[in-house]
Amino acid sequence: MTVTIVGSQLGDEGKGALVDLWGGDADVVVRYQGGDNAGHTVVEGGEEYALSLVPSGAVRGKVGVLGNGCVVNPRTLFEEIGTLRERGLDPDVRVAKRAHVIMPYHRRIDGIEEGAKADSDSGVEVGTTGRGIGPTYEDKAGRRGVRIGDLLDPEVLRERLEYVVPQKRALVEDVYGLEAGEELDVDALHEEYARFGRRLREEGMVVNCSDFLYERREAGDDVMFEGAQGTLIDVDHGSYPYVTSSNPTAGGAATGTGVGPTVTGRGEVVGVVKGYLSRVGEGPMPTELDGDEREEALASDIREKGGEFGTVTGRPRRIGWLDVPMLRHATRVNGYTGIAVNHLDVLAGLDELKVGHAYELEGEERLSLPATTERWGECEPVYREFDTWEEFDADAVSEGGYEALPGAAREYLEYLEDQLDTPVHAVGVGPDREQTVVRTNPWT
């Protein structure tokens, strides 16, 4: 059995909480794309764990795998593992040999290029995290990347570095006119990353991801696939160029792990939806609450109540009403068998509640996104208003089940089921794992 967890919006939907909840029934949890630009916050028994690279299942004692579709910063990986160990956990993390390595020069170039775009009238400033994700995927596509398997062989590692580092040095010095530092010193890089390779080997962390998952499944293990970010920042299906550099959508689970699409396609695919919308970085957001002082105050209240600040960067997120055309697009692209709606408690006690039901573009109503980001930015939201509901006790509602939710909240959820033709499997009513109303367990 497999279950794939996918973000349905612009990231930050609370995927980690669902992976943590349902990961208790999995044996292996696999990240299939992204790097340490993705933040998952998991709360267990009042304890909060902020993870940027280690798969969320680590908090539940599951085997965690970083698949070949991921880009891995070994510094971040070992720092996170060390922090979890200090807090009494013993994470079992495996890393695909085919996963690409984020090198220090990737981070340097990421910052330089984003700054250059900001200073240029014609450049598109994406608002990256500066973690080197995009440049690493660029090198992967350009066939000049360093992979985890290369770290295990010092001679191969040196060959890779001696090929790519002079190119990066020329970019920094000759194109941007900046001074290169230790991040472009072949000897220093070789020494540090060969050491990472020795540690990965000594701790038994490196695997052939496809073979490893095949063997685990043949042994009867259940596997959960964990996407980072969200559908609308998928490099192929999102609001390009305001996107990440990989595929968070469900199809990425196959290409990012070496498990065939006929395997993941027979399993469950659950889309995680936040009850409103948030975004870090640039790009269109038709339902954004930024029109006047009243809307900005409402956005601020939701941001504070929902803790809408980036797990990795701490940046305040932009806030908007739920965008249903976006969700229709996500449902089609991912092929959801169910959705989970998080942060419903954040909407409690509001004076008003709306959703963007459709868009208006050049006098026509549209129920889904245009294919180009420029056209999406021209869309005006067509709103539907909903009755609000009072604040409730999250623990009491979790214990009482779906019928314990306020009637207006159930109407809100049933509207989504109708529009997406997809059942609501779970409803998050608080930050803790136990503060979730589960209607359907995807494993059963």
Side-chain angles (χ1 to χ4, degrees):
M1 179 68 184
T2 69
V3 173
T4 303
I5 304 293
V6 179
S8 300
Q9 296 154 303
L10 293 151
D12 310 313
E13 300 95 345
K15 297 176 295 296
L18 274 302
V19 173
D20 179 56
L21 175 69
W22 286 323
D25 293 325
D27 299 291
V28 182
V29 179
V30 191
R31 273 274 302 275
Y32 57 83
Q33 49 78 220
D36 59 336
N37 59 333
H40 289 164
T41 301
V42 176
V43 180
E44 179 181 21
E47 286 284 315
E48 185 173 290
Y49 300 89
L51 307 173
S52 63
L53 191 57
V54 171
S56 301
V59 176
R60 299 294 296 270
K62 307 299 175 178
V63 176
V65 181
L66 295 171
N68 55 274
C70 294
V71 289
V72 180
N73 185 331
R75 294 175 177 174
T76 303
L77 177 61
F78 287 120
E79 285 173 7
E80 270 193 23
I81 290 173
T83 299
L84 291 172
R85 286 174 177 167
E86 288 172 3
R87 298 183 66 179
L89 300 178
D90 186 21
D92 183 355
V93 180
R94 314 298 176 91
V95 187
K97 290 181 180 179
R98 290 184 170 92
H100 280 248
V101 181
I102 300 173
M103 303 296 290
Y105 51 77
H106 291 132
R107 293 172 65 104
R108 175 81 190 279
I109 290 169
D110 196 354
I112 291 172
E113 292 185 341
E114 192 71 1
K117 290 174 184 176
D119 294 338
S120 170
D121 293 335
S122 58
V124 177
E125 187 180 4
V126 176
T128 74
T129 59
R131 298 297 179 104
I133 308 301
T136 307
Y137 278 113
E138 285 181 31
D139 280 357
K140 175 179 179 176
R143 298 176 296 280
R144 55 181 174 269
V146 176
R147 302 197 296 178
I148 288 292
D150 299 334
L151 304 186
L152 308 180
D153 187 329
E155 291 185 9
V156 171
L157 175 59
R158 182 168 285 278
E159 288 176 4
R160 298 282 188 269
L161 293 173
E162 288 180 346
Y163 173 70
V164 70
V165 168
Q167 297 178 35
K168 304 302 180 184
R169 180 181 290 275
L171 181 63
V172 171
E173 294 180 337
D174 299 341
V175 176
Y176 290 107
L178 300 172
E179 184 176 344
E182 194 173 72
E183 78 281 354
L184 288 163
D185 183 316
V186 170
D187 290 334
L189 290 171
H190 184 267
E191 180 181 354
E192 180 180 9
Y193 283 79
R195 187 167 62 248
F196 284 137
R198 288 194 297 273
R199 182 172 175 182
L200 287 164
R201 180 189 294 108
E202 289 167 1
E203 297 193 18
M205 295 174 65
V206 182
V207 296
N208 181 328
C209 189
S210 179
D211 289 354
F212 179 77
L213 295 178
Y214 174 79
E215 291 166 2
R216 296 299 296 246
R217 289 181 52 254
E218 284 293 294
D221 285 354
D222 291 325
V223 180
M224 174 172 280
F225 297 98
E226 173 186 13
Q229 291 100 23
T231 296
L232 265 293
I233 55 174
D234 183 290
V235 68
D236 288 304
H237 304 292
S239 55
Y240 189 90
Y242 304 102
V243 292
T244 194
S245 301
S246 57
N247 294 109
T249 43
T255 57
T257 65
V259 172
T262 54
V263 175
T264 58
R266 287 196 301 268
E268 293 284 313
V269 180
V270 182
V272 184
V273 177
K274 186 179 287 184
Y276 50 94
L277 193 61
S278 67
R279 179 169 202 163
V280 169
E282 304 300 321
M285 192 173 172
T287 63
E288 186 169 10
L289 287 164
D290 67 345
D292 54 32
E293 290 185 7
R294 181 186 59 80
E295 284 195 348
E296 290 177 2
L298 180 57
S300 180
D301 288 345
I302 292 174
R303 184 180 299 112
E304 292 295 330
K305 191 174 179 182
E308 296 297 343
F309 302 89
T311 303
V312 172
T313 63
R315 290 185 292 184
R317 297 170 184 152
R318 298 158 62 191
I319 303 297
W321 294 122
L322 193 66
D323 188 320
V324 178
M326 179 186 294
L327 296 180
R328 294 189 189 101
H329 170 73
T331 301
R332 287 196 294 270
V333 167
N334 292 292
Y336 294 147
T337 57
I339 61 172
V341 182
N342 273 334
H343 282 50
L344 200 70
D345 53 307
V346 176
L347 297 177
L350 296 181
D351 293 331
E352 62 177 308
L353 179 60
K354 298 179 181 179
V355 301
H357 173 77
Y359 299 140
E360 184 177 307
L361 181 62
E362 296 180 345
E364 294 185 4
E365 185 173 276
R366 302 183 63 123
L367 296 178
S368 189
L369 277 71
T372 68
T373 301
E374 289 73 21
R375 295 288 279 171
W376 187 33
E378 296 168 6
C379 290
E380 292 295 330
V382 178
Y383 288 114
R384 282 196 183 179
E385 294 190 17
F386 285 80
D387 291 337
T388 59
W389 56 86
E390 297 298 320
E391 295 188 0
F392 51 79
D393 185 292
D395 293 326
V397 168
S398 301
E399 185 176 345
Y402 186 74
E403 294 303 319
L405 284 166
R410 295 199 304 273
E411 289 177 10
Y412 191 75
L413 296 169
E414 287 155 15
Y415 160 79
L416 289 179
E417 288 185 317
D418 177 68
Q419 293 299 311
L420 306 181
D421 194 24
T422 306
V424 172
H425 281 353
V427 184
V429 295
D432 200 280
R433 177 196 302 152
E434 304 304 324
Q435 294 175 325
T436 305
V437 175
V438 178
R439 301 177 75 193
T440 302
N441 185 333
W443 294 109
T444 59

